[in-house]
Amino acid sequence: MEKKTQKHGKSVVKMRDVAALANVSIATVSRYLNGNLDRMSADTADRVADAIDKLNYVPNSAARQMVKKSSGLVAVVAGNIDDFFSTEMFKGINAMLESKGYIGVLFDSNSDLDREKHLMQIVSNQYFDGAILQPYNTVQVIRETIKRPMPIVMADREIEQSPWPQVVTNNYEVARQATQYYKDKGFKRVIMITSSLSMAANRRDRYYGIQSVINNIDVLEVSEKSYNHKKVLEQLTTLINGSQEDTLIFALKERWLTEFIPRLFYMGLIDNDHVAVTGFSDTGTAQYIDAKTKLIAQNPYLIGASSGEIMLNMLEGKHRDPEKIVVPAKFG
Amino acid sequence: MEKKTQKHGKSVVKMRDVAALANVSIATVSRYLNGNLDRMSADTADRVADAIDKLNYVPNSAARQMVKKSSGLVAVVAGNIDDFFSTEMFKGINAMLESKGYIGVLFDSNSDLDREKHLMQIVSNQYFDGAILQPYNTVQVIRETIKRPMPIVMADREIEQSPWPQVVTNNYEVARQATQYYKDKGFKRVIMITSSLSMAANRRDRYYGIQSVINNIDVLEVSEKSYNHKKVLEQLTTLINGSQEDTLIFALKERWLTEFIPRLFYMGLIDNDHVAVTGFSDTGTAQYIDAKTKLIAQNPYLIGASSGEIMLNMLEGKHRDPEKIVVPAKFG
DNA sequence: CTGTTAGCGCGTTCAC
DNA sequence: GTGAACGCGCTAACAG
């Protein structure tokens, strides 16, 4: 056995130990590790392999990174990992990254501006090859925070004057389209359920999209962090009964769909004729609320995959303009 | 401006540049960066600060890690980040880790044995100070995969003969307790809804817990990946109507609660008297399905926090025995 | 208070 | 086909 005296017992076996046991130089071991097998006899390679195995040698990635200037790691800073959207986007990102040997690691802003900033600092200070952000801070803050020049992609949340490539959704258009569908069926009024803060830009675009078709909108704000379920239900009931017009309930986020709507159906408040419901949906869970309900389906996985693809391009030096890619959501 | 010729334009400004501009030695800059301000005149510190600012200097973390033998990063390999359980656990982990200056990064096994193994390899090869796993592989596989000696904590999923500390839930006990509650009310039969594969150990314990009270169990397996919603509803309907006994529907996972149960209520199949429903729940969403429904609430955040705390202890050298901590779930 | 210097472990020429 | 030696950027003694 080798000495293992370092902090936390980290193995102290290094390349030179392997080299010694295999009776070769460290250069040969390095070559073996990096797959340059063509410059080495099969016998040598075998001996090196054996030695590595016997000693349980693990390369020191910090040393390798220092000279290679790359870690193979891409940081993904998500808005809130409790959201299916964020996690599914991450899966999409990784699907792309891993095809080229990179791997994404996930950080959670927890819907907190300061925390997001803190995470960006860490990402900037650690050895990541690139960063994909689902950002809430402004371009300026991001610029000041991530000091180290590195490839950056903005995912999901549109940001003004972005110097980085973006991948976004057609929030305005699809909200407009959905609203139009119900307007054509005679609905003249909207109750919009939204969270109070998160994803301001997306929320705003959706709101405008609705408004461009139906102007009569009641907004019900629900706090992401904590709300009184019963009270919200009462508010909804009051709102629904507060008008004779045919009413469309429009949830800007799937969560409000699954948490409130089944109960309203159960209570008989939604009949699809005079009171209907629609909203943005990511998971597919919401679609089972009622057979007649038509929703807006986003594609977080594809947004992630696109972001990942752009990141790969940047990593390979094909620097791209700060283009904006739109991954459309679909209504129906 | 300095040369920025490296890959991806990584800044090539290094400590010696800062030192030169500030007219000090690199040791002084290093001291400044590491907060040893007491050994330096305020004036010097200022000059260093200015130089860092002017040059936009960012320390090379790989070099630092190489000598410090620590990155401050802890890897968290979660079973499936689409599950609220995993993400909430991660939040709990970070709450603890960050109190001591560490930070957790999240990896996603995607409920895939091989993928989990692959991730463990990466974690083992990169410079992480420790790893918290929500494991699906066996002790042996994990041992063979993570070759580098490092602090490891197992979270959520119980594993036989673990050489590492574990934090788990009282699956058996709480399932038993919930079932008993309904048995006392006259229920004599259980329909159990479960996913086909994931978290085998947890699932098994829950099953045994139910079985220890009520033996008459119909098992309905639903695939996590893809299932026919309508068909499952039909199966459930058939099962419910297939017996005159008072029946308890027991979901081993919240997802089945939110996806199927509201519809059953709507269809009038659940009345809480002859057909009732319960199950494991993480988010609190499910509790709004019906006022009379009593669920089992897990505490993923606390499981994470406990895991994080143990990890901190190990990182600080207080090596702990492979103890097992139980974070109880609560019924009611 | 501040500077000098010897490693940290690995990749990579350039010789042999 | 293989090895010796330098350099990556930083920290931590040890000098002064």
Side-chain angles (χ1 to χ4, degrees):
Chain A
M1 293 298 281
E2 294 64 45
K3 284 188 306 183
K4 296 188 182 179
T5 51
Q6 289 185 241
K7 200 177 175 189
H8 311 310
K10 236 169 239 171
S11 170
V12 84
V13 182
K14 48 198 81 162
M15 248 172 59
R16 67 160 151 276
D17 300 320
V18 177
L21 183 58
N23 239 317
V24 296
S25 80
I26 60 170
T28 303
V29 179
S30 174
R31 286 190 190 106
Y32 175 85
L33 254 35
N34 291 287
N36 297 354
L37 300 180
D38 43 338
R39 299 191 183 178
M40 157 180 4
S41 73
D43 182 57
T44 321
D46 279 351
R47 291 211 314 282
V48 174
D50 281 357
I52 289 177
D53 206 49
K54 279 210 184 65
L55 295 177
N56 236 302
Y57 166 72
V58 181
N60 180 321
S61 63
R64 177 199 293 252
Q65 285 168 30
M66 183 159 76
V67 32
K68 284 244 193 179
K69 275 142 191 30
S70 161
S71 64
L73 262 32
V74 172
V76 178
V77 181
N80 187 346
I81 58 170
D82 278 349
D83 279 349
F84 183 84
F85 189 98
S86 290
T87 55
E88 200 63 11
M89 186 179 82
F90 180 67
K91 285 176 195 275
I93 290 172
N94 263 322
M96 289 304 301
L97 292 183
E98 290 174 21
S99 70
K100 298 281 185 184
Y102 290 90
I103 184 145
V105 306
L106 188 53
F107 292 87
D108 172 33
S109 297
N110 206 13
S111 308
D112 181 313
L113 271 174
D114 290 332
R115 185 173 164 78
E116 179 180 292
K117 193 172 165 184
H118 177 220
L119 290 178
M120 291 192 295
Q121 274 176 21
I122 290 175
V123 167
S124 161
N125 287 329
Q126 296 284 350
Y127 230 77
F128 292 102
D129 290 352
I132 298 179
L133 313 177
Q134 187 185 10
Y136 194 55
N137 275 288
T138 61
V139 167
Q140 193 180 4
V141 173
I142 298 174
R143 266 224 157 96
E144 288 166 359
T145 309
I146 303 187
K147 295 187 174 165
R148 182 164 60 86
M150 66 194 292
I152 292 178
V153 175
M154 313 297 263
D156 179 36
R157 298 188 188 158
E158 202 160 346
I159 198 170
E160 306 289 335
Q161 304 243 312
S162 168
W164 310 284
Q166 314 194 54
V167 181
V168 299
T169 301
N170 59 341
N171 285 296
Y172 177 91
E173 267 314 320
V174 77
R176 179 188 169 87
Q177 188 184 334
T179 312
Q180 186 66 53
Y181 172 86
Y182 287 98
K183 187 184 183 187
D184 291 346
K185 298 186 82 170
F187 289 82
K188 298 187 171 156
R189 171 183 177 243
V190 170
I191 297 173
M192 185 177 104
I193 313 177
T194 176
S195 51
S196 19
L197 249 183
S198 75
M199 301 204 296
N202 285 354
R203 178 190 161 211
R204 191 202 52 210
D205 291 346
R206 292 170 186 180
Y207 177 70
Y208 288 158
I210 298 171
Q211 204 186 29
S212 73
V213 178
I214 294 183
N215 220 317
N216 183 4
I217 303 179
D218 283 302
V219 177
L220 179 57
E221 288 203 349
V222 184
S223 159
E224 288 264 359
K225 303 283 181 191
S226 75
Y227 61 84
N228 183 319
H229 188 264
K230 201 176 158 193
K231 194 173 164 196
V232 173
L233 275 181
E234 285 171 7
Q235 290 177 306
L236 271 171
T237 307
T238 306
L239 281 173
I240 292 173
N241 294 330
S243 164
Q244 297 304 322
E245 307 271 32
D246 287 356
T247 299
L248 172 65
I249 301 174
F250 202 128
L252 293 201
K253 197 170 171 181
E254 172 156 345
R255 181 173 166 194
W256 313 132
L257 242 26
T258 45
E259 293 196 11
F260 300 120
I261 302 306
R263 203 57 168 273
L264 294 179
F265 264 106
Y266 190 40
M267 293 162 68
L269 283 171
I270 301 181
D271 59 5
N272 290 317
D273 290 328
H274 300 293
V275 181
V277 60
T278 189
F280 280 82
S281 147
D282 310 319
T283 72
T285 298
Q287 71 180 282
Y288 299 123
I289 290 177
D290 185 86
K292 286 189 183 162
T293 299
K294 289 166 80 80
L295 299 172
I296 298 170
Q298 297 198 83
N299 200 334
Y301 189 88
L302 188 52
I303 290 181
S306 302
S307 310
E309 191 180 3
I310 295 179
M311 174 56 64
L312 283 178
N313 278 318
M314 298 176 82
L315 289 170
E316 288 173 358
K318 305 172 198 156
H319 271 272
R320 294 171 78 141
D321 300 328
E323 64 196 314
K324 188 198 296 179
I325 292 185
V326 177
V327 176
K330 282 178 198 133
F331 172 70
Chain B
M1 294 296 282
E2 295 62 45
K3 282 190 305 180
K4 296 189 180 177
T5 51
Q6 288 186 241
K7 201 179 174 188
H8 310 311
K10 237 169 235 167
S11 171
V12 84
V13 181
K14 47 199 83 163
M15 249 174 56
R16 65 161 154 275
D17 300 320
V18 177
L21 183 58
N23 239 317
V24 296
S25 79
I26 62 170
T28 303
V29 179
S30 175
R31 287 191 189 105
Y32 175 85
L33 254 35
N34 290 289
N36 297 355
L37 300 179
D38 43 338
R39 296 190 184 180
M40 155 181 4
S41 74
D43 181 55
T44 319
D46 280 350
R47 291 212 315 280
V48 173
D50 281 356
I52 289 176
D53 207 49
K54 278 209 184 65
L55 295 177
N56 236 302
Y57 166 72
V58 180
N60 180 320
S61 64
R64 176 200 295 251
Q65 285 170 30
M66 182 159 76
V67 30
K68 285 252 203 177
K69 273 135 190 36
S70 161
S71 64
L73 262 33
V74 172
V76 179
V77 181
N80 187 347
I81 57 170
D82 278 349
D83 279 349
F84 183 84
F85 189 99
S86 290
T87 55
E88 200 63 11
M89 186 180 82
F90 180 66
K91 284 175 196 277
I93 289 172
N94 263 323
M96 288 305 301
L97 291 184
E98 290 174 22
S99 70
K100 298 281 185 184
Y102 290 90
I103 182 144
V105 306
L106 188 53
F107 292 86
D108 172 33
S109 297
N110 206 12
S111 307
D112 181 312
L113 271 174
D114 290 331
R115 185 174 164 77
E116 179 181 293
K117 193 171 166 187
H118 177 221
L119 289 178
M120 291 191 296
Q121 274 176 20
I122 290 175
V123 166
S124 161
N125 288 329
Q126 295 285 348
Y127 230 77
F128 292 103
D129 289 352
I132 299 179
L133 313 177
Q134 187 185 9
Y136 195 55
N137 276 287
T138 62
V139 167
Q140 193 180 5
V141 173
I142 299 174
R143 265 223 159 98
E144 288 167 359
T145 309
I146 303 187
K147 296 188 173 164
R148 181 164 60 87
M150 65 194 292
I152 291 177
V153 175
M154 312 297 266
D156 179 37
R157 299 188 189 158
E158 202 159 346
I159 198 170
E160 307 289 334
Q161 306 241 314
S162 169
W164 310 285
Q166 315 193 54
V167 181
V168 299
T169 301
N170 58 340
N171 285 297
Y172 178 91
E173 267 313 321
V174 75
R176 178 188 170 86
Q177 188 183 333
T179 311
Q180 187 66 52
Y181 172 86
Y182 287 98
K183 186 183 184 190
D184 290 348
K185 298 186 80 169
F187 289 83
K188 297 187 173 159
R189 169 183 179 244
V190 170
I191 298 173
M192 185 176 104
I193 313 177
T194 176
S195 52
S196 19
L197 250 182
S198 74
M199 302 205 296
N202 285 355
R203 177 188 162 211
R204 190 201 53 211
D205 290 347
R206 291 170 187 181
Y207 177 70
Y208 287 158
I210 298 171
Q211 204 186 28
S212 73
V213 178
I214 295 183
N215 221 318
N216 183 4
I217 302 179
D218 283 302
V219 176
L220 180 57
E221 289 203 349
V222 184
S223 159
E224 288 264 358
K225 303 284 183 190
S226 74
Y227 62 83
N228 183 318
H229 188 263
K230 199 174 158 193
K231 194 172 165 196
V232 173
L233 275 181
E234 285 171 6
Q235 290 177 305
L236 271 170
T237 306
T238 306
L239 281 172
I240 292 173
N241 293 329
S243 165
Q244 298 304 320
E245 306 270 33
D246 287 355
T247 299
L248 171 65
I249 302 174
F250 203 128
L252 293 201
K253 195 168 173 183
E254 172 156 346
R255 181 175 167 192
W256 313 131
L257 242 26
T258 46
E259 293 196 11
F260 300 119
I261 303 307
R263 202 58 168 273
L264 294 179
F265 264 107
Y266 189 41
M267 294 162 67
L269 283 171
I270 302 181
D271 59 3
N272 290 316
D273 290 329
H274 300 292
V275 180
V277 60
T278 190
F280 280 81
S281 146
D282 311 318
T283 72
T285 297
Q287 73 180 280
Y288 299 124
I289 290 176
D290 185 87
K292 286 188 183 164
T293 300
K294 289 165 80 82
L295 300 172
I296 298 169
Q298 297 199 82
N299 200 335
Y301 189 89
L302 188 52
I303 290 182
S306 302
S307 310
E309 190 180 3
I310 295 178
M311 175 55 64
L312 282 178
N313 278 318
M314 297 177 83
L315 288 170
E316 288 172 358
K318 304 171 198 157
H319 271 273
R320 295 170 79 141
D321 300 328
E323 65 196 313
K324 188 197 297 181
I325 291 184
V326 177
V327 175
K330 282 179 198 132
F331 171 70

